[in-house]
Amino acid sequence: MAGVVRVVLRAALLWLAESVRAEEMVRRAPLTRLLVNRFVAGEDVGAALATARALDVRGLDCSLDLLGENAADEASAAAAGQAYLALLDQIQAAGLPGNISIKLTMLGLDISDESAWEKLEAIVERADELGMFVRIDMEGSEYTERTLGLFRRIHDLYPTAVGIVLQSYLYRTDRDLDEMIERGARVRIVKGAYKEPETVAYPHKNDVDDAFRRQIERLLDGGTYPAIATHDEAIIRMTQGYALRMSVDRSRFEFQMLYGIGRGRQEALAAEGYSMRVYVPYGTSWYPYFMRRLAERPANVLFIVRQLFRS
Ligand code: FDA
């Protein structure tokens, strides 16, 4: 029963993540801020860099993500591109080891492939000059094919400066993974966070977890510095065990987690000698990111409701 409630709540939250009216309500709710602050480092780049510095002190790497998706016009896509170029310089000037994560819809993918490509190319070119790294996040399945298309194109030009994300819940991912391993691309493997129909993605969590385990093993066997991005303790332990059995050195892969989730575990893994990178989102466009975090763990919603009743 609890499982059914979780599935329904997840679907509802992911649906609300796309609703403008729901966004207005959530933004106005008095206690939302409390929970948003758990998952989002702050509204400006200063807050993001301060978080990156604090993580660095604790032995954790980071990937900074300027929040935003689905730019509706060329002006906002261009502004996002400029903001990311500036961010690369700011990370470099601060002497921090962090890299960046970007979403192609924020750079104009809804306008056209070429709109997103222009900004992507400029960002990856600058990262390459600075010896930095750009990760292209993976969005909903309506964008998978075009995202991979643009990734192939940029990876051909800058093979060490850019990597991709693949989502285990998609049926297609085993095939995409083979291709990415073959081309030596750096892959971040995740379970997948969007609302997807059964025609493209496994509807049951067990199947997603099985695919995730299988794909992690494939990446540890033949991938190029893969990133295992999860807070799932059983899967973290499975990864550690498999790497040990197959003599995959800890320097050949990294774990990644989201800012605000599993802080103690992040530090413990780093202390054990694993590379641990924290994904640090910042900016004012936090709503869809925040709703996806609620959908992953509906207990977060109960937290809000409890706070509302208490106040
Ligand atoms: P799972 O959802 O099974 O959670 C395991 C445990 O982790 C839970 O029981 C809970 O304890 C804890 N946990 C998980 N989520 C939580 C939350 N929101 N709040 C509190 N506790 C939580 N997705 C995508 O589609 N495209 C992308 O580009 C990325 N990028 C990305 C980068 C990084 C660094 C990470 C860690 C994740 C992503 N994701 C993503 C999100 C990913 O697809 C997935 O939705 C989340 O990581 C949650 O899945 P878990 O693997 O943690 O397992």
Side-chain angles (χ1 to χ4, degrees), residues 167-208:
Q167 299 153 319
S168 296
Y169 63 15
L170 295 185
Y171 303 134
R172 59 175 290 161
T173 291
D174 284 304
R175 241 181 317 124
D176 293 331
L177 190 62
D178 284 345
E179 183 203 336
M180 292 304 149
I181 289 176
E182 176 78 14
R183 66 158 49 236
R186 278 172 62 176
V187 172
R188 174 201 294 154
I189 190 82
V190 300
K191 290 189 186 180
Y194 292 79
K195 177 164 60 72
E196 298 294 356
E198 287 192 35
T199 45
V200 300
Y202 295 108
H204 300 298
K205 184 171 164 45
N206 284 352
D207 295 322
V208 179

Side-chain angles (χ1 to χ4, degrees), residues 1-14 203-205 295 298:
M1 186 61 190
V4 175
V5 172
R6 214 170 28 242
V7 169
V8 171
L9 213 49
R10 176 176 187 273
L13 288 163
L14 289 178
H204 300 298
K205 184 171 164 45

Side-chain angles (χ1 to χ4, degrees), residues 122-189:
I123 292 168
V124 177
E125 183 184 23
R126 176 81 60 88
D128 191 60
E129 282 163 13
L130 297 174
M132 293 173 74
F133 181 78
V134 179
R135 177 79 62 181
I136 302 180
D137 285 345
M138 190 57 79
E139 304 178 66
S141 62
E142 67 272 36
Y143 299 108
T144 310
E145 193 54 45
R146 291 165 65 207
T147 301
L148 289 176
L150 291 179
F151 173 71
R152 291 183 192 102
R153 207 168 141 192
I154 196 75
H155 186 254
D156 284 345
L157 297 177
Y158 303 101
T160 57
V162 64
I164 190 72
V165 177
L166 294 178
Q167 299 153 319
S168 296
Y169 63 15
L170 295 185
Y171 303 134
R172 59 175 290 161
T173 291
D174 284 304
R175 241 181 317 124
D176 293 331
L177 190 62
D178 284 345
E179 183 203 336
M180 292 304 149
I181 289 176
E182 176 78 14
R183 66 158 49 236
R186 278 172 62 176
V187 172
R188 174 201 294 154
I189 190 82

Side-chain angles (χ1 to χ4, degrees), residues 38-39 137-138 165 167 188 190-194 205 229-232 256-258 261 279 293 296-297 300:
R38 173 179 168 190
F39 295 115
D137 285 345
M138 190 57 79
V165 177
Q167 299 153 319
R188 174 201 294 154
V190 300
K191 290 189 186 180
Y194 292 79
K205 184 171 164 45
T230 186
H231 318 92
D232 186 326
Q256 296 190 354
M257 290 192 195
L258 300 176
I261 307 178
Y279 184 101
R293 301 297 75 83
E296 280 154 6
R297 191 160 179 267
N300 291 336

Side-chain angles (χ1 to χ4, degrees), residues 70-71 74 77 103-117 119 136 139-140 142-148 150:
N70 299 104
E74 192 50 46
K103 286 188 175 52
L104 294 186
T105 65
M106 189 183 187
L107 301 179
L109 197 59
D110 284 336
I111 301 163
S112 69
D113 281 16
E114 282 317 299
S115 170
W117 170 257
K119 289 93 179 172
I136 302 180
E139 304 178 66
E142 67 272 36
Y143 299 108
T144 310
E145 193 54 45
R146 291 165 65 207
T147 301
L148 289 176
L150 291 179

